[in-house]
Every structure is written in structure tokens, then in C-alpha cells.
């Protein structure tokens, strides 16, 4: 066969799209039905009544070493994305006419990224380069790269190292909506007298077409910004800060709009988290977080044009420490076991400390955590970000002074919060990092023994809280059901969990 054709962007996109969908099917379709059978080196599974097989390793992270196949009249034949969509639909029932289109759109977007990326110049800043390295996106999502709208997305895509100028707007003083400290926005340009400066994401401006007049004026292009991994959050060198915009586009499970209560909630959480993080950092000196001290918007388009200001990772890391997105971590040059122990300590301990001691639920998935690497490439700091996913445990904080909708959006009950912590930390984050570090499943088992030791020592110091004891005893892990939630066309917050094997057992 012609390897040139096999390695073409279209072929690679088909392969990666199939792999992501197959991971979802193993976890959410075949797994819960008892239709997955390990047959080393293969994993066998039944989906939609057909028998499939794939060479798999990496534990729950499911790394595939060869193309998956289906049994057709007694012989193994290649499995395609179209086949697997059809088979999954048979098991999931209740037709979803959009689903196949979303998977195909993700594959097309990935092919376009793979086509454009080799010719593009990555940012020199190693942190920004890592933000732009999530080429394949979420490994357990049926349409990880689907982006709504027309072809415009490519101009704003982090994966192709896009850079673009902000659009600057002027908001008449009486129509400015703002809370907290958003003053870095004023570094981006000059508004005429009687107006405040409001930067806008150019893509959002096209989508929203707000119409200009007395309250809102167009001041034209502004300074250049660099998109980070979430697409809608950009880094502005001029402001020295990250700016989290609304984008009326579905990216994985959500239309990325900053709701009014999230704008307020970010500022409120920044105030409340400061003392909690200060205590955690005193105990675990490598702990960092990215405050979101303020937002600004225009009253007439509060949610559509609301922009949240967020500290940049460089501003919180120690001198000589380089922040790197956890989702972009590669196998290190140093001993993987040593690297892993340092990573687990830097990332997991503060997350558990915040949950048990402070009643704070972080969302430490691979896109919300940055690891601070020292000169040797060893993890010495962990930076937690994204206050939209950060919650307070109900009953542990006095939220009585807040508008009810803001308080509600900031709160999780203890059980739901714990499921979120365990999913993000163990399933989304540590399981993937371990699979990245371990060249084989033997090494993987060693890594989990190390993690167990680290977590067990910390459990002791926390007084062995029951949920943590259950976890260390091998309770199944909750894995977020991204395929099921897309199939049901439900909101991300409605996403359920499916139990998967616990590698700490
Ligand atoms: N392993 C992963 N887990 C979760 N999200 C991932 C992962 N890999 C890639 N992603 C992508 O990262 C984004 C995560 O969304 P999330 O809601 O955390 O970010 P956001 O709130 O839009 O922005 P920000 O993180 O800048 O606050 C999505 O676009 C998702 O597809
Ligand atoms: Mg995020």
C-alpha cells in the first residue's frame, strides 16, 4: 500500500476520529453492557451486534497500536468511522440525525488542521506552543474537533498557530457592565472620551453582529492575540493577561458563551479562593492558580460580549519554571517514574486538599492544568485554571449574600463534587499522563503503585476521609459519558458518568 496516502491528512484524520469514537464506544456502549473482553494483545468488543477487535494498551487510556477491525463473515476487515457510527447508533437507539454530521465535521476539521499545521510557525513561547499542541483534542469525545459556524474557525484555530488582531469596541460609560478589576483591558488601546474600551473576539463579533450606535462603537482592529487550547481564551501580550471571550460556537459539549452568572461568579470565586489557595500553597509550595479578577462587557450584550480577565501562567510561576499544558505533556527525558511521582504530588495533593479541607471542587482535567517544569524538565509547580468549572461544596461556604442564580452555579453537593474531582483528576488527567509516560503496560502498573503510595500518605494526613479510602480500596472510577450526552443532545452539565476499572486497586 502507498504510505503517502496512508499518512495523508485525510487518512490520519479518519484514523484519529475512529480511535476517539472507539474509545467512547468501549467506555460508554460496550463496557456498561458487559461486551468488552480483553484478549491480549487485543481487546474484543461487541457494538451494534458486530464483533470488533483492536490492539490496545495504556489501561483505561486505551492507546491503539493498530487499526481496529470488524468481523465480517468470519474474516477481520477494516473498521471505518461510518461503520462505527452505524453500529453505535444501533445500540444507542432513538435516532440522532445530527450525530453522524458532528463526527464527520470533526474529522474534516482535523484534516484541515493536519493540512495547515506543518506550514505554520509555532509560537516561540513554550507555554503558548503547548497550548497549541492539542491537535487531536479530547481523546474520549465523539467529535473532539467539531467547530460550528462556517469555515471561519481555521483563522482562529490554536492548532494552526493562528494569531489575529482583537477588535476594539467603545462602550458608552453608562452602558458598561463590569465587576472586579478589569483595568488591564485599558492597556489595549484608547477609547474616545465618555467611552470605555472593550476588546472583542473578531469571530464572535461576526457571529453576534451586534450593530453599532450610541452605546457601542467600533474602534477597529486592536493588538494581536494568540489563541490558547480552549479556542475562546486568548493570550494578549499587550495586556500581559489571558482574555476569556464568549464564542457562540459549540466546541465539544458546550456553546462557549459566558453566562451572566458565570461572569459574576468568576470574580466572586477569585475573591473567595485567594485565602484557600494561600493555605494550600503554604502546605504544598508548588501550588499555583490563575485568578480571574474582573470582567467587562456592554449592558446590551452582557453575555455575548462579556470578557473575563485571567492572570497569565508566566505571572504565577517561579523564575526558571516553565508552564506547560498538561494535555501537551510528552514522555520526558528523565526517568518516567521520578517524573510521575513529582507530577502526582504537584497536581493531585492540592486538588484533594482543596476538596477535603476547603470544600473547593477544581476541574483539573488536562486542559485546565499546567505543569511547571524546572530546568531539568521536572514537575515542580502545578497551575490550576478555569473558574467556570470550579465549584464550592454546598454547606461549606456562606453564599447567602449572592444572587441565587450565581450561588447555584457556584455550588455542587459533596457527592457530585467528588465525582467531578475523581473524573477530572484520575480519569481525564492521571490516566492519560500515565499512559503517555509508560512505554508498556508493565511500567504502567509500576506508575500506579507509585501514585497509590503518594495518595495513601496524603490520605493519612487528611484523616482518611471515607471517599478517599474508597478510592484507594479500588472503588470504580466515574468516567464522563461524552458520547451519551452528545447522543442525547443534552447540556454538558447533564452529562452522566459510567464506572470504569480503578488502576489504584
Ligand atoms: N483531555 C481533555 N479534557 C477536557 N477538555 C479537553 C481535553 N483535551 C482537549 N480538551 C478541550 O479543551 C476545552 C476544555 O473546555 P473547558 O470548558 O475546560 O474550557 P473553557 O472554559 O472553554 O476555556 P478555559 O479553559 O480557557 O477557561 C474543550 O475545547 C475541549 O474540547
Ligand atoms: Mg478549561
Amino acid at each position: 500500500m502507498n504510505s503517502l496516502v496512508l499518512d495523508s491528512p485525510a487518512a490520519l484524520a479518519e484514523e484519529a476520529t475512529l480511535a476517539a469514537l472507539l474509545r467512547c464506544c468501549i467506555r460508554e456502549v460496550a463496557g456498561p453492557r458487559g461486551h468488552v473482553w480483553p484478549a491480549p494483545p487485543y481487546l474484543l468488543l461487541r457494538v451494534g451486534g458486530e464483533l470488533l477487535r483492536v490492539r490496545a494498551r495504556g489501561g483505561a487510556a486505551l492507546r491503539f497500536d493498530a487499526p481496529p477491525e470488524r468481523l465480517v463473515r468470519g474474516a477481520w476487515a477494516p473498521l471505518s468511522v461510518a461503520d462505527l457510527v452505524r453500529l453505535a447508533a444501533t445500540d444507542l437507539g432513538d435516532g440522532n440525525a445530527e450525530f453522524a454530521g458532528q463526527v464527520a465535521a470533526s474529522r474534516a476539521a482535523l484534516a484541515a488542521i493536519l493540512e495547515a499545521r506543518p506550514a505554520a510557525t509555532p509560537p516561540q513561547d513554550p507555554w503558548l506552543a503547548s497550548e497549541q499542541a492539542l491537535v487531536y483534542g479530547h481523546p474520549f469525545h465523539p467529535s473532539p474537533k467539531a467547530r460550528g459556524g462556517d469555515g471561519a474557525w481555521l483563522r482562529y484555530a490554536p492548532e494552526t498557530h493562528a494569531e489575529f488582531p482583537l477588535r476594539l469596541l467603545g462602550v458608552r460609560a453608562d452602558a458598561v457592565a463590569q465587576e472586579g478589576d478589569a483595568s488591564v483591558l485599558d492597556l489595549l488601546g484608547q477609547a474616545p472620551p465618555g467611552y470605555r474600551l472593550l476588546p472583542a473576539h473578531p469571530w464572535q463579533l461576526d457571529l453576534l453582529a451586534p450593530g453599532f450606535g450610541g452605546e457601542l462603537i467600533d474602534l477597529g482592529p486592536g493588538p494581536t492575540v494568540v489563541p490558547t487550547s480552549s479556542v475562546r481564551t486568548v493570550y494578549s501580550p499587550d495586556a500581559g493577561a489571558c482574555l476569556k471571550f464568549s464564542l457562540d460556537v459549540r466546541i465539544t459539549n458546550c456553546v462557549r458563551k459566558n453566562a451572566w452568572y458565570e461572569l459574576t461568579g468568576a470574580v466572586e470565586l477569585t475573591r473567595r479562593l485567594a485565602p484557600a489557595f494561600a493555605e494550600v500553597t503554604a502546605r504544598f509550595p508548588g501550588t499555583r492558580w490563575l485568578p480571574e479578577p474582573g470582567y467587562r462587557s456592554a449592558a446590551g450584550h452582557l453575555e455575548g460580549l462579556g470578557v473575563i480577565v485571567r492572570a497569565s501562567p508566566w505571572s504565577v510561576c517561579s523564575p526558571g519554571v516553565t508552564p506547560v499544558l498538561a494535555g501537551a505533556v510528552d514522555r520526558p527525558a528523565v526517568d518516567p517514574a521520578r517524573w510521575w511521582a513529582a507530577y502526582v504530588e504537584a497536581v493531585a495533593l492540592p486538588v484533594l486538599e482543596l476538596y477535603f479541607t476547603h470544600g473547593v471542587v477544581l476541574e483539573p482535567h488536562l486542559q485546565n492544568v499546567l505543569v511547571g517544569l524546572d530546568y531539568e524538565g521536572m514537575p515542580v509547580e502545578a497551575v490550576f485554571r478555569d473558574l467556570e468549572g470550579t465549584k464550592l461544596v454546598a454547606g461549606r461556604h456562606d453564599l447567602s449574600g449572592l444572587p441565587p442564580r450565581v450561588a447555584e452555579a457556584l455550588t455542587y453537593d459533596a457527592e457530585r463534587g467528588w465525582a467531578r474531582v475523581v473524573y477530572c483528576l484520575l480519569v481525564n488527567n492521571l490516566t492519560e499522563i500515565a499512559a503517555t509516560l509508560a512505554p508498556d503496560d508493565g511500567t504502567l502498573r509500576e506508575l500506579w503503585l507509585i501514585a497509590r503510595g503518594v495518595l495513601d500518605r496524603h490520605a493519612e494526613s487528611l484523616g482518611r476521609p471515607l471517599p478517599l479510602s474508597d478510592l484507594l480500596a479500588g472503588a470504580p472510577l466515574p468516567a464522563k459519558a461524552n458520547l451519551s450526552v452528545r447522543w442525547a443532545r443534552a447540556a454538558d452539565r447533564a452529562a452522566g458518568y459510567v464506572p470504569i476499572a480503578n488502576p489504584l486497586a
Side-chain angles (χ1 to χ4, degrees):
M1 265 199 258
N2 184 337
S3 72
L4 257 177
V5 173
L6 277 182
D7 292 343
S8 72
L12 287 171
E14 165 78 13
E15 183 190 314
T17 305
L18 179 60
L21 185 59
L22 185 61
R23 285 186 205 101
C24 293
C25 287
I26 292 170
R27 200 174 257 185
E28 299 179 49
V29 180
R33 288 171 174 76
H35 290 175
V36 179
W37 305 278
Y42 290 100
L43 203 60
L44 289 175
L45 66 150
R46 190 177 291 285
V47 183
E50 288 195 13
L51 198 62
L52 312 180
R53 75 170 187 184
V54 63
R55 289 178 82 106
R57 61 182 172 84
L62 292 172
R63 302 294 157 94
F64 303 139
D65 290 329
E69 296 167 305
R70 60 194 268 248
L71 195 62
V72 184
R73 287 184 294 277
W76 291 106
L79 178 73
S80 70
V81 168
D83 295 330
L84 190 55
V85 166
R86 177 177 53 76
L87 296 173
T90 305
D91 278 349
L92 292 166
D94 298 330
N96 177 336
E98 293 163 11
F99 184 81
Q102 287 172 349
V103 175
S106 181
R107 181 183 52 198
L110 178 56
I113 288 166
L114 291 169
E115 184 86 49
R117 191 172 161 91
T121 310
Q124 283 189 346
D125 178 330
W127 159 57
L128 285 171
S130 76
E131 293 282 355
Q132 302 196 337
L134 303 189
V135 173
Y136 297 98
H138 199 306
F140 283 85
H141 197 282
S143 48
K145 289 284 136 175
R147 276 164 216 181
D150 44 21
W153 65 270
L154 201 52
R155 265 180 280 147
Y156 307 110
E159 302 88 343
T160 55
H161 310 308
E163 290 189 341
F164 51 89
L166 293 170
R167 266 281 275 294
L168 296 181
L169 309 180
V171 185
R172 205 172 61 203
D174 61 320
V176 172
Q178 177 170 318
E179 285 177 77
D181 179 2
S183 56
V184 294
L185 300 180
D186 298 318
L187 300 171
L188 295 170
Q190 192 97 50
Y195 286 81
R196 289 304 287 281
L197 200 67
L198 178 67
H201 194 298
W203 190 9
Q204 175 68 351
L205 218 50
D206 286 345
L207 294 166
L208 198 66
F212 297 110
E215 285 184 5
L216 193 65
I217 56 174
D218 183 4
L219 302 174
T224 296
V225 291
V226 184
T228 70
S229 50
S230 72
V231 181
R232 45 96 159 243
T233 301
V234 304
Y235 176 66
S236 163
D238 296 72
C242 299
L243 308 177
K244 182 170 181 171
F245 290 104
S246 279
L247 212 48
D248 290 357
V249 171
R250 179 180 299 286
I251 298 175
T252 51
N253 292 337
C254 312
V255 175
R256 304 283 164 172
K257 182 181 272 189
N258 294 324
W260 69 269
Y261 48 84
E262 288 164 349
L263 297 172
T264 299
V267 180
E268 182 63 31
L269 266 179
T270 295
R271 259 197 294 273
R272 287 171 182 260
L273 291 179
F277 268 105
E279 277 185 43
V280 174
T281 307
R283 173 129 199 247
F284 303 104
T287 308
R288 300 287 184 276
W289 66 299
L290 299 185
E292 296 178 2
Y295 78 84
R296 187 178 292 172
S297 190
H301 298 279
L302 182 60
E303 298 190 338
L305 292 180
V307 53
I308 295 171
V309 173
R310 175 187 290 167
S312 104
W314 285 113
S315 74
V316 302
C317 283
S318 303
V321 173
T322 302
V324 169
L325 185 61
V329 159
D330 258 335
R331 204 173 287 172
V334 299
D335 170 34
R338 193 161 75 91
W339 197 97
W340 167 251
Y343 182 84
V344 175
E345 287 195 14
V347 175
L349 303 191
V351 171
L352 296 174
E353 184 79 9
L354 278 160
Y355 179 78
F356 287 109
T357 307
H358 300 275
V360 172
V361 177
L362 295 184
E363 192 186 28
H365 63 52
L366 287 176
Q367 189 271 341
N368 282 342
V369 173
L370 301 119
V371 56
L373 303 177
D374 71 5
Y375 65 97
E376 209 195 348
M378 284 291 286
V380 289
E381 292 177 353
V383 185
F384 300 98
R385 73 166 167 206
D386 195 348
L387 300 188
E388 182 191 340
T390 304
K391 309 287 171 187
L392 303 174
V393 176
R396 309 258 324 246
H397 302 263
D398 178 11
L399 301 177
S400 56
L402 296 178
R405 187 68 189 90
V406 175
E408 187 195 328
L410 283 186
T411 312
Y412 265 179
D413 64 49
E415 207 177 322
R416 195 159 158 238
W418 179 243
R420 174 84 87 106
V421 165
V422 175
Y423 162 65
C424 290
L425 179 64
L426 280 138
V427 179
N428 190 304
N429 191 323
L430 294 185
T431 299
E432 291 295 328
I433 297 286
T436 298
L437 298 179
D440 53 67
D441 283 352
T443 313
L444 193 61
R445 279 188 288 277
E446 284 168 30
L447 295 187
W448 281 107
L449 269 175
I450 293 171
R452 215 200 124 72
V454 172
L455 297 182
D456 195 63
R457 280 192 297 281
H458 187 55
E460 186 64 44
S461 81
L462 286 168
R464 300 222 166 261
L466 199 59
L468 191 50
S469 297
D470 287 352
L471 188 71
L472 288 165
L477 303 181
K480 190 175 166 200
N482 287 315
L483 166 60
S484 309
V485 77
R486 286 277 37 82
W487 188 261
R489 302 185 187 86
D492 187 57
R493 64 179 174 282
Y497 296 102
V498 288
I500 64 166
N502 180 342
L504 293 166

